[in-house]
Amino acid sequence: MSIMLAQWALESDYGKSELATQANNYTGHKTTGWSGEVYLKDTIEDDGKGNKYIAKSEPFRKYASPDDWAKAHASWLQRLPEVYAKAINAKTVEEQAGALQGTYATDTNYKKKLLDIIERDNLKRYDTAEGAGSVTNKWTAETLLKHVFGTETILSNMFNGTAGARGSDPEGAIIHNDYGRANGKGYLSWLATARTPHTKKAELGFAHYYIDRMFNVRVEHTYNKAYHGGDSYANSRLLGYEVNESLSTTDAEFIQNEEAVFIQVAEDLLFYNLPINRKTVRLHKEFSSTSCPHRSWELHVGKGQPDTQA
C-alpha cells in the first residue's frame, strides 16, 4: 500500500496534475490493452540512461472516476507478470521500489523518489492490514487536505450546540463566501468575540466550517444547527461551509480555497449517505437576500449575472 500511495503522490503531485484532474489517471497509465476513453498529453520521458526528452501527444487512459483508477492500479502488476515478476515477489518495500525502476517507470531515480516520499509521509503505516483497510475504505477529508494543500485541520467545535441540536441527519450543504480577509485560524479568534458562543452575538451568524488551503476549521459539530442560512430550513437542515479570504487573496488561491471546501463537503455528504447534486449542494443566495457566494459567483458565473439555477 505504501508503494501505491507514493506512486500516487509522485506521479500526480498529490492529485493536482493535469492527467489526474482531467483523466482521473494518477499514475500515468498508458493505453496498452485499453478500450476506454483516451487522454492525449505531452510528457517528459527518460531513456533509461538519465536523458530526458519530450514525447508529444502520448495516449493515456482516461478513467471515469478515481475508484476506477484505484482498481486498475491495484492489479496493474498482475497484468504483465513476466515483466513485473521481481516487483510482485518482492519481500520488502525497498525491494519492490527498486523492481519498479526500469520496468514500470524509466526514471532512473524512481526508486529513490518513492522511498523518499514513503519516509517523509510515514506511508509504511498503511502496510499493515489495519492501515491498508483504512485507506481502502476511504481517505478522510483531513488526510486529503493535508496531502493536497498541506492544510491544518482544527476541530474546535466552540459553538457546541449554541443554535441547538438538529435531531436528525442534515439534508445538504450551503456554500458561502466569507466576505472577509481572514484564514481559518484567524476566524477562531474573531468568532470568539464577534460571535461569542451561547450569547445573542452568535445569532448574527456562524457556519459549521471555515476553510481555505491552509486551515480547515470546524467550529460546530455537524449534528448541531448553525446560524448561517438566513432561513429556518437552511439553519436547521443544512451544513454551512465558508470559503475564506474572499477579499484578500488571488483568484488562483481562492479557487484552491474552494477546492478545499468541496473536499470537506463531499466527505460530509457521503458520510450522511446523501447524493451530491443541486438538491444537496446549495448556495446562500438561494435562501436569503444576499450576494453570497459573491466571489465564487463572479468567478464561475459572471459578475452581475442573474440568479438562475443554470
Side-chain angles (χ1 to χ4, degrees):
M1 182 61 71
S2 63
I3 288 286
M4 182 174 175
L5 293 175
Q7 288 181 298
W8 169 80
L10 173 63
E11 299 195 39
S12 74
D13 190 20
Y14 292 98
K16 293 183 288 184
S17 71
E18 176 187 345
L19 201 57
T21 58
Q22 301 300 316
N24 291 311
N25 188 335
Y26 297 86
T27 44
H29 289 170
K30 296 288 183 66
T31 54
T32 302
W34 176 250
S35 58
E37 285 191 69
V38 174
Y39 187 84
L40 301 177
K41 74 177 294 292
D42 296 348
T43 180
I44 299 175
E45 300 287 354
D46 190 312
D47 65 1
K49 299 178 182 178
N51 300 310
K52 308 293 185 183
Y53 65 97
I54 297 176
K56 293 286 188 178
S57 298
E58 283 287 287
F60 291 86
R61 295 184 176 196
K62 183 175 182 179
Y63 291 107
S65 70
D67 280 349
D68 286 350
W69 161 80
K71 291 173 184 176
H73 194 64
S75 60
W76 194 261
L77 302 186
Q78 279 70 33
R79 292 174 59 252
L80 297 169
E82 67 281 6
V83 174
Y84 298 119
K86 288 184 178 180
I88 293 170
N89 298 315
K91 304 298 183 184
T92 67
V93 169
E94 291 75 14
E95 186 180 346
Q96 187 173 57
L100 291 173
Q101 184 171 302
T103 52
Y104 182 88
T106 57
D107 188 342
T108 51
N109 291 310
Y110 197 67
K111 175 183 177 180
K112 183 179 185 304
K113 290 177 180 178
L114 291 181
L115 295 179
D116 284 349
I117 291 171
I118 289 170
E119 180 179 0
R120 183 186 67 217
D121 291 351
N122 189 26
L123 296 181
K124 282 189 177 180
R125 68 187 185 275
Y126 297 119
D127 287 332
T128 64
E130 181 180 356
S134 70
V135 175
T136 302
N137 290 334
K138 69 173 181 179
W139 279 33
T140 65
E142 178 178 356
T143 304
L144 278 170
L145 286 166
K146 179 180 178 181
H147 281 284
V148 175
F149 299 114
T151 306
E152 178 182 351
T153 297
I154 302 173
L155 305 178
S156 79
N157 300 312
M158 65 166 67
F159 287 95
N160 198 27
T162 293
R166 180 177 297 104
S168 60
D169 288 348
E171 297 178 3
I174 291 183
I175 305 296
H176 299 270
N177 286 178
D178 64 345
Y179 219 84
R181 299 179 180 277
N183 60 35
K185 203 164 189 177
Y187 273 109
L188 282 174
S189 56
W190 183 84
L191 288 165
T193 55
R195 300 290 189 269
T196 310
H198 301 289
T199 71
K200 278 293 196 180
K201 285 185 177 181
E203 295 180 16
L204 295 173
F206 67 89
H208 292 84
Y209 290 90
Y210 292 78
I211 299 176
D212 50 78
R213 66 200 178 282
M214 294 174 286
F215 300 100
N216 176 21
V217 177
R218 190 180 74 191
V219 298
E220 180 56 285
H221 295 282
T222 59
Y223 52 73
N224 286 330
K225 303 175 186 178
Y227 296 122
H228 69 97
D231 171 276
S232 60
Y233 169 79
N235 289 341
S236 62
R237 307 306 307 158
L238 304 175
L239 300 174
Y241 302 79
E242 291 280 359
V243 184
N244 298 336
E245 302 181 318
S246 68
L247 299 182
S248 63
T249 195
T250 65
D251 286 349
E253 288 179 340
F254 186 75
I255 287 171
Q256 283 189 312
N257 293 351
E258 287 180 323
E259 292 294 329
V261 167
F262 298 156
I263 289 173
Q264 186 64 61
V265 170
E267 176 169 296
D268 288 342
L269 294 187
L270 293 172
F271 176 82
Y272 285 109
N273 295 313
L274 291 167
I276 298 175
N277 56 39
R278 282 181 172 170
K279 291 182 179 180
T280 58
V281 182
R282 312 294 291 273
L283 304 181
H284 188 187
K285 61 166 61 186
E286 294 182 61
F287 298 94
S288 63
S289 179
T290 177
S291 62
C292 179
H294 60 101
R295 187 165 183 182
S296 293
W297 189 270
E298 290 180 7
L299 281 171
H300 305 296
V301 182
K303 190 171 184 178
Q305 291 301 303
D307 294 348
T308 64
Q309 188 178 66

